[in-house]
Amino acid sequence: MSEYQDISDDVAILMQMNEIGCANPVQLRNAMFWFNCDIFERNKAQNHAEIRAEDYKMTKINGEDRLEYRYFKHRDQQLASAKRADTGQPDNVWITEMDYAVEYFKKYLKAIQHHGPFYRKLLPDSQYQADSVIEYSEEAMTIEDLNELQKWKEKCRKMIKQKMKKMHTPVLTDDELLCQLGIIGKKSSELLLKAVYWLNFRNMGLTQNQHYQIKRSNFQLISKKKKYIAQLKFANTITETEYPINDEGNDPGVGAELYKAYLDAISTHCNPDSKFYFRPVIDTVNEDEVTFSSRNLSQQHLKELYKWATNVFDLVAYINNNSLVPDGCLKLGNDDKSKFLAKFNSLPIQHGHLTCVINNTDFVNTSSKRKGEIQPSKKPRIGSK
């Protein structure tokens, strides 16, 4: 959207809406009015009417271009067209270092030849014509013209406020959506395995082969101020995903919460050479217990999970592309859940238990060697911290 790095949110929105810019005389003059209000505190039409081109001066600080705006108090309530350029000391000086503002002022001042009243009327038939050379009339804008620009500015303020509100409206993330649908979660070891596989597939961007290669030692969940960082060091590269913590500082966000639950559940099985994924165990006695076998998933198991993840990705894409979750919705209703799960069930995916799941009854009345193979690590009941 913009080549500049220091651009503010409101200016970025105005550029995106083509209200300001340098593609035509209207956009560039609008930008001047906005910057004079926003940067140089010229908030009324009369304040703008007093400005002359000579009030601006380009300077350099540490080799970087800067723009000065010089204010002369004695010119208050007078039109710039009725005054000559001031040669005395200004009553106040503003300096901007913002690259985009400096560049726009350079282009506008060149278009009005650096002298006379700052705000000029458009040339006939040039209102929206894009041209490599932007030009303006010699005739100054009137107070009535500047009042119209003031109305434009107020209209833009309202549009920006609406856009910003929409941008900062809480949204239901894809991970939270899948948890609410019961496709991933912490309620069973199988759902938890699917959850971390999904996070690595979608957020870390792992390929099918990379899922098989990663080891537990490749992964870290790092706690920093206001966020958790899931970090994966793999094949001489580092991939990171941030999970913000809520304002109260006690909720790590669903992605970090799922990672934490999984790492806790497999903690007794890990050694430096352990692979990342372990086989889930279904505990038919204590259904709230989340346990994993000491055995890693085979390549065939991971192929099965990869097919599952690609179908889940298709479901999420279908929901997002069709805007099926309303803005601001943080909890799905039963009707939405039924509708989304019906779409999920229509996808070519295995809906029963994954073949990698181990039922704990498989180990009853077998040799002690087989029993010892499970070595389950037990996670506290869901809901505990």
Side-chain angles (χ1 to χ4, degrees):
M1 182 171 61
S2 172
E3 61 186 293
Y4 304 108
Q5 300 298 316
D6 60 347
I7 194 166
S8 62
D9 289 341
D10 54 357
V11 170
I13 291 171
L14 290 173
M15 287 180 175
Q16 187 180 42
M17 295 165 57
N18 293 318
E19 293 290 341
I20 67 173
C22 56
N24 59 60
V26 172
Q27 286 185 359
L28 186 56
R29 193 179 61 184
N30 286 351
M32 295 300 95
F33 193 88
W34 186 271
F35 294 147
N36 276 327
C37 293
D38 203 43
I39 301 173
F40 302 129
E41 302 179 17
R42 306 294 86 194
N43 295 316
K44 297 179 180 179
Q46 179 60 47
N47 300 146
H48 292 267
E50 300 159 6
I51 302 174
R52 289 185 61 86
E54 293 88 348
D55 297 341
Y56 298 93
K57 180 182 178 182
M58 299 300 303
T59 63
K60 283 187 179 290
I61 300 176
N62 296 326
E64 298 291 334
D65 287 336
R66 299 292 182 263
L67 178 72
E68 290 184 3
Y69 167 65
R70 298 175 293 170
Y71 164 68
F72 296 90
K73 188 175 181 179
H74 70 82
R75 206 189 296 163
D76 287 354
Q77 303 301 313
Q78 298 182 29
L79 296 178
S81 56
K83 298 290 293 183
R84 293 176 180 269
D86 287 279
T87 57
Q89 291 297 315
D91 295 283
N92 205 348
V93 176
W94 282 266
I95 299 177
T96 181
E97 301 178 356
M98 291 181 284
D99 291 343
Y100 58 89
V102 172
E103 290 300 316
Y104 278 32
F105 271 99
K106 275 185 182 178
K107 292 175 182 178
Y108 185 81
L109 289 168
K110 182 179 179 181
I112 63 172
Q113 300 179 7
H114 297 267
H115 73 86
F118 185 72
Y119 289 100
R120 307 291 183 83
K121 291 191 174 184
L122 301 173
L123 291 169
D125 303 322
S126 68
Q127 185 173 6
Y128 294 106
Q129 290 181 358
D131 199 331
S132 58
V133 179
I134 293 179
E135 298 176 331
Y136 295 90
S137 166
E138 289 289 331
E139 186 179 358
M141 294 179 72
T142 65
I143 286 289
E144 290 74 20
D145 296 330
L146 292 168
N147 278 328
E148 290 301 312
L149 277 178
Q150 187 77 18
K151 293 177 183 177
W152 164 83
K153 185 194 77 172
E154 296 306 319
K155 182 185 73 172
C156 287
R157 290 282 187 204
K158 292 179 181 178
M159 291 191 295
I160 289 170
K161 187 176 180 180
Q162 292 172 352
K163 287 266 189 182
M164 294 290 286
K165 183 179 180 181
K166 188 172 183 180
M167 287 167 58
H168 293 93
T169 298
V171 295
L172 190 66
T173 67
D174 294 343
D175 302 337
E176 291 166 335
L177 171 72
L178 295 176
C179 281
Q180 290 191 28
L181 291 174
I183 295 174
I184 63 175
K186 300 188 299 179
K187 291 184 177 180
S188 74
S189 55
E190 182 179 358
L191 289 178
L192 188 54
L193 172 67
K194 288 177 175 178
V196 293
Y197 190 94
W198 166 257
L199 294 173
N200 288 341
F201 171 87
R202 175 66 183 275
N203 300 341
M204 293 293 195
L206 293 187
T207 65
Q208 183 175 352
N209 190 49
Q210 287 172 334
H211 282 284
Y212 183 70
Q213 294 176 356
I214 61 170
K215 298 180 179 180
R216 170 62 185 90
S217 57
N218 297 136
F219 182 87
Q220 289 189 80
L221 188 63
I222 305 166
S223 175
K224 289 191 174 181
K225 186 178 181 181
K226 290 291 183 181
K227 62 186 175 184
Y228 277 89
I229 298 176
Q231 184 184 86
L232 186 62
K233 295 181 180 179
F234 182 72
N236 297 321
T237 62
I238 297 177
T239 304
E240 293 183 343
T241 302
E242 293 186 0
Y243 296 95
I245 299 173
N246 70 356
D247 292 337
E248 290 74 28
N250 55 14
D251 185 354
V254 66
E257 190 175 304
L258 292 167
Y259 273 129
K260 287 176 70 177
Y262 181 73
L263 295 177
D264 179 53
I266 65 170
S267 60
T268 60
H269 301 328
C270 293
N271 61 65
D273 295 322
S274 296
K275 293 292 182 68
F276 187 77
Y277 298 108
F278 292 86
R279 295 187 67 174
V281 176
I282 296 178
D283 193 328
T284 56
V285 178
N286 299 311
E287 295 183 356
D288 286 343
E289 299 291 348
V290 175
T291 60
F292 287 84
S293 165
S294 61
R295 288 184 287 172
N296 290 118
L297 268 62
S298 68
Q299 195 161 7
Q300 186 59 41
H301 293 146
L302 289 168
K303 284 182 180 179
E304 182 184 12
L305 269 172
Y306 189 82
K307 291 179 181 178
W308 168 85
T310 55
N311 279 267
V312 174
F313 181 86
D314 290 341
L315 172 69
V316 170
Y318 167 78
I319 293 171
N320 291 336
N321 292 341
N322 292 282
S323 302
L324 299 182
V325 179
D327 290 337
C329 173
L330 297 178
K331 187 173 183 179
L332 296 177
N334 291 331
D335 290 344
D336 285 333
K337 287 182 181 180
S338 298
K339 179 171 59 178
F340 297 157
L341 287 173
K343 175 65 179 178
F344 184 57
N345 290 333
S346 70
L347 298 172
I349 187 172
Q350 179 180 343
H351 300 294
H353 290 307
L354 297 173
T355 58
C356 63
V357 175
I358 301 171
N359 192 312
N360 70 333
T361 58
D362 294 344
F363 298 91
V364 177
N365 297 323
T366 57
S367 68
S368 58
K369 180 179 179 181
R370 186 76 181 275
K371 288 181 181 179
E373 190 178 9
I374 301 179
Q375 300 176 13
S377 171
K378 296 186 178 181
K379 179 184 179 299
R381 289 182 178 272
I382 302 306
S384 62
K385 295 289 185 180

